[in-house]
Amino acid sequence: MQDYYDLLGLNENCTKDEAKNAFMSKKKEVQGKMLSRNPEERALAVKELGELTSAYKAVVANIIDANATNVPSTDAEGTVISRRTGITTPPKKITESKPPVEVKPDNNVLTLQENKNMMIIFGMILGVLVLGIAVYFVLIQPNKLKNITALTPIVTPAQQKSIIPKIEAAKDKHNGSIASIATLINDTVNKKGNLKGETELLNSAMRVEQEVLDTLTELRNSSEANTRKGRMLIRILQAEQKRISGLVDGLRAGVNGLDYQAGFKIGSEGYYEYDRLNSEYMHFETGDFKPQMAYVKGDDVFLRSAPSTNSSVIKTLKRNSGLDAIAVQTCDDERAGMINTDNVVVGFNGQNIRLAKGQPLTITGENGGTYQCQLNLENGSGTIYVDKVNVKKLYGETWYKVRLSGGTEGWVYKDFIQLKREL
């Protein structure tokens, strides 16, 4: 709990208003980082905002709990004890003397024998009541409990309301908002030839960007973030973030009379990523991918056991080999990668070697503009360091499940397969 207070710069005796002000101040700082041109800085800012939000909720809940339990209690002597401070307050002493009580003689006092008869009757009534209560709890109540149990199902975590439908609706809403922003940009450029002074349009784009970031943060902080659907939706939202961030960067440059093409190019790349990932998500949802005839595009292409370069190789396929594509899936392995440039020279086990485009890698770390990778070749394996511009990360990339003529099935990365037509 102390970590949450430290994260917001608060002490444990803070009020709810103080916690809110601290959170809003920190949130404003993080939102400034979200406008960075560096995608990695923006991603870190999203993560930081999620941590701040969790800390704020925990601190507010702790303040509410503390106030709810801050009810004075008394000890055996009547001393008031504050649960929050532990300070005891002695009870007020009664100094006024009570008047003497006058005892009058009672003419209706029962005789000893009458008292005994009353006790016997009372005991008989009490025995009947006890017997009735015992019969009820032993014979009747268990049957009622069984009926209640049968009628009241136990709600398991899996049956709790899913956040996925809400995220799907937000995803589609963001798509429409971003498309509207792009249309307004094109109309403005066609009409004016530039974007100077279009601050209102820039502010609209920035609001949409914040909405996308909020949805992405909500999903990442949910219990469904690591489910199959959750991971796919995170990648889709990241593509939407790239789309709108590119438009924001382009608009910001255009408003100031600078070149806006670089930002819009990034936005276009985000659009193509979104379109592909969203299409795959819809196929996953409906199961409507139709098997298609295909052939191998590259030389010595690996047929793998799973959609990742880190899965085992089932067979090596020759160029133009025929096969059937029977399913599609995105890569869930963040370490999967491959060489993305021809003739990349790297140091490997004490000597320089040349790697061809498409060479599979396992990304094990990064430092600045370099990836640390594990390279596995027929004559051995070892660690290499490759410039990031020469490596393609395959996380979120499309793979096809294929079936060979003999019935063998496996996975091939999309760049090494060409679809022909539906079967």
Side-chain angles (χ1 to χ4, degrees), residues 120-343:
I120 292 172
I121 294 172
F122 179 75
M124 293 175 64
I125 294 173
L126 183 61
V128 172
L129 288 174
V130 171
L131 179 61
I133 292 172
V135 170
Y136 174 78
F137 280 103
V138 173
L139 300 178
I140 299 175
Q141 185 71 3
N143 293 327
K144 285 190 175 183
L145 290 175
K146 289 180 181 178
N147 292 334
I148 292 174
T149 303
L151 294 175
T152 308
I154 299 174
V155 179
T156 63
Q159 294 173 315
Q160 293 176 355
K161 189 174 181 180
S162 171
I163 196 178
I164 295 299
K166 178 183 177 182
I167 299 298
E168 290 174 333
K171 164 185 70 74
D172 295 337
K173 175 178 177 292
H174 299 330
N175 179 44
S177 299
I178 297 171
S180 297
I181 295 292
T183 300
L184 290 172
I185 291 173
N186 288 329
D187 291 345
T188 302
V189 171
N190 291 334
K191 183 178 179 180
K192 293 175 51 179
N194 60 66
L195 294 168
K196 289 182 179 179
E198 295 295 329
T199 54
E200 184 176 348
L201 184 54
L202 173 60
N203 291 335
S204 298
M206 291 175 64
R207 283 194 294 271
V208 175
E209 182 182 38
Q210 184 60 53
E211 291 172 1
V212 175
L213 289 170
D214 290 342
T215 302
L216 186 56
T217 300
E218 182 179 8
L219 178 55
R220 279 174 166 162
N221 291 337
S222 74
S223 60
E224 295 179 273
N226 288 320
T227 63
R228 172 82 171 138
K229 285 187 177 181
R231 291 193 298 269
M232 294 178 74
L233 283 170
I234 285 175
R235 290 195 293 272
I236 292 173
L237 289 170
Q238 287 173 331
E240 287 192 311
Q241 179 188 357
K242 184 176 181 179
R243 289 172 65 191
I244 188 62
S245 295
L247 295 182
V248 167
D249 289 345
L251 276 168
R252 187 180 289 112
V255 166
N256 295 315
L258 303 175
D259 182 16
Y260 49 77
Q261 294 297 337
F264 291 167
K265 180 180 179 182
I266 294 175
S268 296
E269 292 173 355
Y271 167 75
Y272 291 122
E273 290 178 19
Y274 167 81
D275 190 53
R276 174 177 59 81
L277 293 170
N278 194 53
S279 176
E280 291 174 7
Y281 184 78
M282 299 306 296
H283 286 150
F284 170 77
E285 280 286 276
T286 61
D288 63 354
F289 179 80
K290 297 179 180 179
Q292 301 176 53
M293 295 179 64
Y295 61 89
V296 178
K297 288 172 60 176
D299 295 318
D300 298 327
V301 173
F302 291 143
L303 179 70
R304 295 185 177 273
S305 59
S308 168
T309 53
N310 291 318
S311 61
S312 59
V313 176
I314 299 174
K315 189 174 181 179
T316 301
L317 306 177
K318 300 298 182 182
R319 181 181 290 273
N320 295 325
S321 298
L323 40 78
D324 296 332
I326 58 176
V328 64
Q329 184 174 317
T330 53
C331 176
D332 287 337
D333 188 354
E334 294 187 353
R335 302 194 309 157
M338 71 176 189
I339 295 295
N340 198 36
T341 310
D342 281 324
N343 299 319

Side-chain angles (χ1 to χ4, degrees), residues 4-110:
Y4 289 139
Y5 283 96
D6 293 342
L7 186 60
L8 294 171
L10 297 168
N11 59 62
E12 293 189 0
N13 293 323
C14 68
T15 65
K16 188 176 179 181
D17 288 338
E18 289 173 341
K20 181 179 179 180
N21 292 335
F23 170 68
M24 295 304 293
S25 176
K26 294 284 187 180
K27 181 180 179 181
K28 186 175 181 180
E29 294 177 7
V30 174
Q31 287 176 334
K33 298 177 184 177
M34 289 178 178
L35 301 179
S36 170
R37 295 178 181 272
N38 189 324
E40 294 181 359
E41 290 184 4
R42 289 200 295 266
L44 289 174
V46 171
K47 181 180 179 182
E48 185 177 351
L49 179 59
E51 294 173 349
L52 288 172
T53 302
S54 299
Y56 171 62
K57 291 180 179 178
V59 168
V60 171
N62 190 51
I63 293 173
I64 293 174
D65 289 343
N67 291 336
T69 56
N70 189 22
V71 179
S73 61
T74 60
D75 61 10
E77 298 179 355
T79 301
V80 178
I81 303 173
S82 170
R83 295 184 182 180
R84 185 173 182 87
T85 63
I87 299 174
T88 59
T89 305
K92 294 181 180 179
K93 295 182 179 180
I94 301 176
T95 57
E96 300 179 1
S97 60
K98 295 184 179 180
V101 179
E102 182 180 359
V103 179
K104 297 182 179 181
D106 189 354
N107 296 326
N108 297 319
V109 178
L110 296 176

